[in-house]
Amino acid sequence: MREGRSHNDDMEERELGEGEGGEDVFEMLKTDHRHVQDLFTKFEDADKRARASIADETLTALEVHAALEEELVYPAIAEVLDDEDLVNEAKEEHHVAKLLIKELRKMDAEDEGFSTKFKVLGELVGHHIEEEEGEMFPQAQEGGFEPQSISNEVSKRKARLMQKYEGGKKSSGSRRKKAA
């Protein structure tokens, strides 16, 4: 994060799609990583009433983040990496995360098993973050990937995805799986 700017300033800039490709896409993704990790921690500490909205925010953030990586970031990284297994593994981790997200979207945050499933998702995401930041991102840069090269495109796509998700999936973390 640049000096004199808050976390919220950086988040707003990215969500609005501003910037002219000068920002490092890896820093953008790392900011998203920290945000989601914070949400998983908040969920653990929250009361039952707050859990639904925290879970919904987390799931939406993960859906947007995964779409950005799969559509834009991974293809760009794959062009410079010698080890295609790294990108393939990341895609498989996304696949497993999406399965858990789909199941969680069908549950109510107060349902038996929701917290456990949410915790497992958090552990998977934590592992995924460690591999991206510890292996994939450094190897991509060593291979010649320039993190600024797709920043503007990623920012714009993120803004469109956020509009889509905010417009259509507000209550998904607290849906009832059965009519009562």
Side-chain angles (χ1 to χ4, degrees):
M1 185 165 38
R2 286 169 269 159
E3 241 179 273
R5 294 178 56 87
S6 73
H7 171 76
N8 289 337
D9 290 338
D10 287 338
M11 292 295 289
E12 282 178 23
E13 181 176 293
R14 275 192 299 286
E15 287 174 10
L16 294 172
E18 295 174 2
E20 296 171 11
E23 190 170 8
D24 181 329
V25 74
F26 291 155
E27 291 306 315
M28 293 167 59
L29 295 173
K30 288 176 184 178
T31 298
D32 286 352
H33 291 166
R34 299 295 88 73
H35 176 64
V36 168
Q37 288 175 317
D38 289 347
L39 288 170
F40 279 110
T41 301
K42 268 186 178 177
F43 181 88
E44 287 179 27
D45 299 335
D47 62 27
K48 287 182 179 184
R49 285 184 315 136
R51 283 186 164 194
S53 64
I54 294 168
D56 188 55
E57 182 180 351
T58 306
L59 299 179
T60 298
L62 289 171
E63 289 167 322
V64 169
H65 186 84
L68 294 173
E69 288 183 336
E70 292 169 14
E71 294 172 19
L72 302 170
V73 179
Y74 291 168
I77 288 175
E79 290 180 17
V80 301
L81 280 185
D82 292 330
D83 183 6
E84 66 185 48
D85 288 342
L86 204 53
V87 173
N88 290 336
E89 183 180 340
K91 288 178 183 177
E92 284 303 316
E93 289 169 349
H94 278 200
H95 174 71
V96 173
K98 287 178 189 177
L99 292 173
L100 289 170
I101 290 168
K102 186 176 181 179
E103 291 175 8
L104 286 162
R105 290 262 188 222
K106 293 177 183 176
M107 299 172 77
D108 186 285
E110 293 182 20
D111 286 350
E112 184 178 332
F114 185 95
S115 293
T116 302
K117 193 175 297 281
F118 193 79
K119 182 177 182 174
V120 169
L121 177 62
E123 291 168 355
L124 172 67
V125 168
H127 168 79
H128 180 76
I129 288 170
E130 286 177 20
E131 287 189 343
E132 277 188 350
E133 293 182 9
E135 296 177 43
M136 183 187 289
F137 296 171
Q139 285 182 30
Q141 286 185 290
E142 288 169 15
F145 179 76
E146 296 179 14
Q148 298 81 9
S149 64
I150 62 170
S151 297
N152 196 32
E153 187 178 3
V154 170
S155 291
K156 287 179 181 178
R157 180 67 178 133
K158 182 175 182 179
R160 288 192 305 271
L161 286 168
M162 291 302 293
Q163 287 177 333
K164 173 186 167 186
Y165 280 98
E166 288 172 359
K169 293 189 173 184
K170 283 207 182 250
S171 65
S172 53
S174 59
R175 288 187 184 147
R176 294 281 175 196
K177 63 181 175 191
K178 51 191 171 267

Coordinates of all heavy atoms in Angstrom, one line a residue, residues 139-176:
Q139 N 7.6 -16.8 -8.8 CA 8.0 -17.5 -10.0 C 7.6 -16.8 -11.2 O 8.3 -16.8 -12.2 CB 7.5 -19.0 -10.0 CG 8.2 -19.9 -9.0 CD 7.8 -21.3 -9.0 OE1 7.3 -21.8 -10.1 NE2 7.8 -22.0 -7.9
A140 N 6.4 -16.3 -11.2 CA 5.9 -15.5 -12.4 C 6.8 -14.3 -12.7 O 7.1 -14.0 -13.8 CB 4.4 -15.1 -12.2
Q141 N 7.1 -13.6 -11.6 CA 8.0 -12.4 -11.8 C 9.3 -12.8 -12.3 O 9.9 -12.2 -13.1 CB 8.0 -11.6 -10.5 CG 6.7 -10.8 -10.2 CD 6.8 -9.9 -9.1 OE1 6.8 -10.4 -7.9 NE2 6.8 -8.6 -9.3
E142 N 9.9 -13.9 -11.7 CA 11.2 -14.4 -12.2 C 11.1 -14.8 -13.6 O 12.1 -14.7 -14.3 CB 11.6 -15.6 -11.3 CG 12.0 -15.2 -9.9 CD 12.2 -16.5 -9.0 OE1 12.3 -17.6 -9.5 OE2 12.3 -16.3 -7.8
G143 N 10.0 -15.3 -14.1 CA 9.8 -15.7 -15.5 C 9.5 -14.5 -16.4 O 9.4 -14.7 -17.6
G144 N 9.5 -13.3 -15.9 CA 9.3 -12.1 -16.7 C 7.9 -11.5 -16.7 O 7.7 -10.5 -17.4
F145 N 7.0 -12.0 -15.9 CA 5.7 -11.4 -15.8 C 5.8 -10.1 -15.2 O 6.4 -9.9 -14.1 CB 4.7 -12.3 -15.0 CG 3.3 -11.8 -14.9 CD1 2.4 -11.8 -15.9 CD2 2.9 -11.2 -13.7 CE1 1.2 -11.3 -15.8 CE2 1.7 -10.7 -13.5 CZ 0.8 -10.7 -14.6
E146 N 5.1 -9.1 -15.8 CA 5.1 -7.7 -15.2 C 3.8 -7.5 -14.6 O 2.7 -7.4 -15.3 CB 5.4 -6.7 -16.3 CG 6.8 -6.9 -16.9 CD 7.1 -5.9 -18.0 OE1 6.3 -4.9 -18.1 OE2 8.1 -6.1 -18.7
P147 N 3.7 -7.4 -13.2 CA 2.4 -7.3 -12.5 C 1.6 -6.1 -12.9 O 0.4 -6.1 -12.7 CB 2.8 -7.3 -11.1 CG 4.2 -7.9 -11.0 CD 4.8 -7.6 -12.3
Q148 N 2.2 -5.1 -13.4 CA 1.5 -3.9 -13.8 C 0.7 -4.1 -15.2 O -0.2 -3.4 -15.5 CB 2.4 -2.7 -13.9 CG 3.1 -2.3 -12.7 CD 4.3 -3.1 -12.4 OE1 4.8 -3.9 -13.2 NE2 4.8 -3.0 -11.2
S149 N 1.2 -5.1 -15.9 CA 0.7 -5.3 -17.3 C -0.8 -5.5 -17.4 O -1.4 -5.2 -18.4 CB 1.4 -6.4 -18.0 OG 1.2 -7.6 -17.4
I150 N -1.4 -6.1 -16.4 CA -2.9 -6.4 -16.5 C -3.7 -5.7 -15.4 O -4.9 -6.0 -15.2 CB -3.1 -7.9 -16.5 CG1 -2.6 -8.6 -15.2 CG2 -2.5 -8.6 -17.7 CD1 -3.1 -10.0 -15.1
S151 N -3.0 -4.8 -14.6 CA -3.7 -4.2 -13.5 C -5.0 -3.5 -13.8 O -6.0 -3.6 -13.2 CB -2.8 -3.3 -12.8 OG -1.7 -3.9 -12.2
N152 N -4.9 -2.7 -14.9 CA -6.1 -1.9 -15.3 C -7.2 -2.8 -15.7 O -8.4 -2.6 -15.3 CB -5.7 -0.9 -16.4 CG -6.7 0.1 -16.6 OD1 -7.4 0.6 -15.7 ND2 -6.9 0.6 -17.8
E153 N -6.9 -3.8 -16.5 CA -7.9 -4.8 -16.9 C -8.6 -5.5 -15.7 O -9.8 -5.7 -15.7 CB -7.3 -5.8 -17.9 CG -8.3 -6.7 -18.6 CD -7.6 -7.6 -19.6 OE1 -6.4 -7.6 -19.7 OE2 -8.4 -8.4 -20.2
V154 N -7.7 -5.9 -14.8 CA -8.2 -6.6 -13.6 C -9.1 -5.7 -12.8 O -10.2 -6.1 -12.3 CB -7.1 -7.2 -12.7 CG1 -7.5 -7.7 -11.4 CG2 -6.4 -8.3 -13.5
S155 N -8.7 -4.4 -12.6 CA -9.5 -3.5 -11.8 C -10.9 -3.3 -12.5 O -11.9 -3.2 -11.8 CB -8.8 -2.1 -11.8 OG -7.6 -2.2 -11.0
K156 N -10.9 -3.1 -13.8 CA -12.2 -2.9 -14.4 C -13.1 -4.1 -14.3 O -14.3 -4.0 -14.1 CB -11.9 -2.5 -15.9 CG -11.4 -1.1 -16.1 CD -11.1 -0.8 -17.6 CE -10.5 0.5 -17.7 NZ -10.2 0.8 -19.1
R157 N -12.5 -5.3 -14.5 CA -13.3 -6.5 -14.4 C -13.8 -6.7 -13.0 O -15.0 -7.1 -12.8 CB -12.4 -7.7 -14.8 CG -13.2 -9.0 -14.8 CD -14.3 -9.1 -15.8 NE -14.9 -10.4 -15.7 CZ -16.3 -10.6 -15.7 NH1 -17.1 -9.6 -15.8 NH2 -16.8 -11.8 -15.6
K158 N -13.0 -6.3 -12.0 CA -13.5 -6.5 -10.6 C -14.7 -5.6 -10.4 O -15.6 -6.0 -9.7 CB -12.3 -6.1 -9.7 CG -12.7 -6.3 -8.2 CD -11.6 -6.0 -7.3 CE -12.0 -6.3 -5.8 NZ -10.9 -6.1 -4.9
A159 N -14.6 -4.3 -10.9 CA -15.7 -3.4 -10.7 C -17.0 -4.0 -11.3 O -18.1 -3.9 -10.7 CB -15.4 -2.1 -11.3
R160 N -16.9 -4.6 -12.5 CA -18.1 -5.1 -13.1 C -18.6 -6.3 -12.3 O -19.8 -6.5 -12.2 CB -17.8 -5.6 -14.6 CG -17.6 -4.4 -15.5 CD -17.6 -4.8 -17.0 NE -16.6 -5.8 -17.3 CZ -15.3 -5.5 -17.7 NH1 -14.9 -4.3 -17.7 NH2 -14.5 -6.5 -17.9
L161 N -17.7 -7.2 -11.9 CA -18.1 -8.4 -11.1 C -18.8 -7.9 -9.8 O -19.8 -8.5 -9.3 CB -16.9 -9.3 -10.8 CG -16.5 -10.1 -12.0 CD1 -15.1 -10.7 -11.7 CD2 -17.5 -11.1 -12.4
M162 N -18.2 -6.9 -9.1 CA -18.8 -6.5 -7.8 C -20.2 -5.9 -8.1 O -21.1 -6.2 -7.3 CB -17.9 -5.4 -7.2 CG -16.6 -5.9 -6.7 SD -16.7 -7.2 -5.5 CE -17.5 -6.3 -4.1
Q163 N -20.4 -5.2 -9.2 CA -21.8 -4.7 -9.5 C -22.7 -5.9 -9.7 O -23.9 -5.9 -9.2 CB -21.8 -3.9 -10.7 CG -21.2 -2.5 -10.5 CD -21.1 -1.7 -11.8 OE1 -21.1 -2.2 -12.9 NE2 -21.1 -0.4 -11.6
K164 N -22.3 -6.9 -10.4 CA -23.1 -8.1 -10.7 C -23.5 -8.8 -9.4 O -24.7 -9.1 -9.2 CB -22.3 -9.0 -11.6 CG -23.0 -10.4 -11.8 CD -22.1 -11.3 -12.6 CE -22.6 -12.7 -12.6 NZ -21.7 -13.7 -13.2
Y165 N -22.5 -9.0 -8.5 CA -22.8 -9.8 -7.3 C -23.6 -9.0 -6.3 O -24.4 -9.5 -5.6 CB -21.5 -10.3 -6.7 CG -21.0 -11.5 -7.3 CD1 -20.0 -11.5 -8.3 CD2 -21.5 -12.8 -7.0 CE1 -19.6 -12.6 -8.9 CE2 -21.1 -13.9 -7.6 CZ -20.1 -13.9 -8.6 OH -19.7 -15.0 -9.2
E166 N -23.3 -7.7 -6.2 CA -24.1 -6.8 -5.3 C -25.5 -6.7 -5.7 O -26.4 -6.5 -4.9 CB -23.4 -5.5 -5.1 CG -22.1 -5.6 -4.3 CD -21.3 -4.3 -4.3 OE1 -21.7 -3.3 -4.9 OE2 -20.3 -4.3 -3.6
G167 N -25.7 -6.8 -7.0 CA -27.1 -6.6 -7.6 C -27.9 -7.9 -7.5 O -29.1 -7.8 -7.4
G168 N -27.3 -9.1 -7.4 CA -28.1 -10.3 -7.5 C -28.0 -11.3 -6.4 O -28.7 -12.2 -6.3
K169 N -27.0 -11.1 -5.4 CA -26.8 -12.2 -4.4 C -26.7 -11.7 -3.0 O -25.9 -12.2 -2.2 CB -25.6 -13.0 -4.8 CG -25.6 -13.7 -6.0 CD -24.4 -14.6 -6.2 CE -24.6 -15.5 -7.4 NZ -23.5 -16.5 -7.5
K170 N -27.5 -10.7 -2.7 CA -27.3 -10.1 -1.3 C -27.6 -11.0 -0.2 O -26.9 -11.0 0.8 CB -28.3 -8.8 -1.2 CG -27.7 -7.7 -1.9 CD -28.2 -6.4 -1.3 CE -27.6 -5.2 -2.1 NZ -26.7 -4.5 -1.4
S171 N -28.6 -11.8 -0.3 CA -29.0 -12.6 0.9 C -28.5 -14.0 0.9 O -29.0 -14.9 1.6 CB -30.5 -12.6 1.1 OG -31.1 -13.2 0.0
S172 N -27.6 -14.3 0.0 CA -27.2 -15.7 -0.2 C -26.6 -16.4 1.0 O -26.7 -17.6 1.1 CB -26.2 -15.8 -1.4 OG -25.2 -15.0 -1.3
G173 N -26.0 -15.7 1.9 CA -25.4 -16.3 3.1 C -26.4 -16.7 4.1 O -26.1 -17.4 5.0
S174 N -27.6 -16.3 3.9 CA -28.7 -16.6 4.9 C -29.9 -17.2 4.3 O -31.0 -17.1 4.8 CB -29.0 -15.4 5.7 OG -29.5 -14.4 4.8
R175 N -29.7 -17.9 3.1 CA -30.9 -18.5 2.5 C -31.3 -19.7 3.3 O -30.5 -20.4 3.9 CB -30.5 -19.0 1.1 CG -30.4 -17.9 0.1 CD -30.1 -18.4 -1.2 NE -29.9 -17.3 -2.1 CZ -29.2 -17.3 -3.2 NH1 -28.5 -18.3 -3.5 NH2 -29.0 -16.2 -3.9
R176 N -32.5 -20.0 3.2 CA -33.1 -21.2 3.9 C -33.0 -22.4 2.9 O -33.4 -22.2 1.7 CB -34.5 -21.0 4.3 CG -34.7 -20.0 5.4 CD -34.3 -20.6 6.7 NE -34.3 -19.6 7.8 CZ -33.7 -19.8 8.9 NH1 -33.1 -20.9 9.2 NH2 -33.8 -18.8 9.8

